[in-house]
């Protein structure tokens, strides 16, 4: 199956409030696709290659670290930003080992998220 390349943002988070926040922060300026677990994320990534992905670590079905491990083996060109409420020191090093671009703590800083999107997509 051929991968569809696009200039979009992909958000993977099980918290609907966070998904709504991303829509409010970026939805007017960029195409967004959002899912609430790692299994659905893998299915989406089988067909699409977004430029930027914001990824939560703590999710049902497949957590963010499991997804990162799988994606690292695929060598995607997608820029991945972790967004999590989990303690930074516990997971940050591992996330960077899997090729993460940035590691952001929740609650998210709107300006920081917008700046990342602007840098990666322009």
């Amino acid at each position: 199956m051929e991968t569809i390349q696009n200039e979009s943002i992909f958000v993977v988070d099980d918290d609907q409030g966070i998904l709504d926040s991303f829509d409010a922060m970026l939805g007017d300026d960029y195409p967004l696709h959002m899912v609430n677990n790692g299994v659905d994320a893998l299915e989406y990534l089988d067909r699409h290659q977004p430029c930027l992905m914001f990824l939560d670590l703590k999710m049902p079905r497949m957590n963010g670290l499991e997804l990162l491990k799988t994606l690292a083996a695929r060598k995607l060109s997608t820029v991945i930003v972790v967004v999590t409420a989990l303690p930074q020191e516990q997971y940050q090093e591992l996330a960077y080992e899997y090729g993460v671009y940035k590691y952001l703590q929740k609650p998210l800083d709107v300006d920081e998220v917008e700046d990342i999107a602007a840098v990666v997509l322009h």
Side-chain angles (χ1 to χ4, degrees), residues 5 49-52 71 74-80 120:
Q5 300 264 353
Q49 188 167 342
C51 290
L52 176 59
L71 297 179
R74 292 185 181 189
K75 301 189 186 312
L76 294 179
S77 62
T78 300
V79 173
I80 301 172
V120 171

Side-chain angles (χ1 to χ4, degrees), residues 17-119:
I18 295 294
L19 296 177
D20 292 343
S21 293
F22 273 100
D23 188 36
M25 288 185 282
L26 303 173
D28 289 341
D29 298 317
Y30 305 99
L32 290 176
H33 185 80
M34 298 183 265
V35 298
N36 63 10
N37 66 75
V39 174
D40 290 347
L42 276 180
E43 290 176 11
Y44 178 79
L45 292 168
D46 283 342
R47 298 180 317 278
H48 301 86
Q49 188 167 342
C51 290
L52 176 59
M53 176 169 56
F54 290 94
L55 174 64
D56 186 20
L57 293 183
K58 189 175 178 185
M59 297 180 294
R61 297 182 70 196
M62 173 186 280
N63 70 42
L65 289 175
E66 293 168 328
L67 182 59
L68 281 174
K69 185 177 181 180
T70 301
L71 297 179
R74 292 185 181 189
K75 301 189 186 312
L76 294 179
S77 62
T78 300
V79 173
I80 301 172
V81 176
V82 166
V83 291
T84 186
L86 294 174
Q88 185 170 340
E89 61 280 351
Q90 189 173 358
Y91 296 101
Q92 185 175 17
E93 186 176 327
L94 186 56
Y96 281 120
E97 286 175 19
Y98 288 133
V100 166
Y101 174 70
K102 294 265 188 191
Y103 190 101
L104 304 179
Q105 288 288 132
K106 293 177 183 176
L108 296 172
D109 179 306
V110 173
D111 291 332
E112 188 172 21
V113 169
E114 291 173 346
D115 288 347
I116 290 169
V119 168

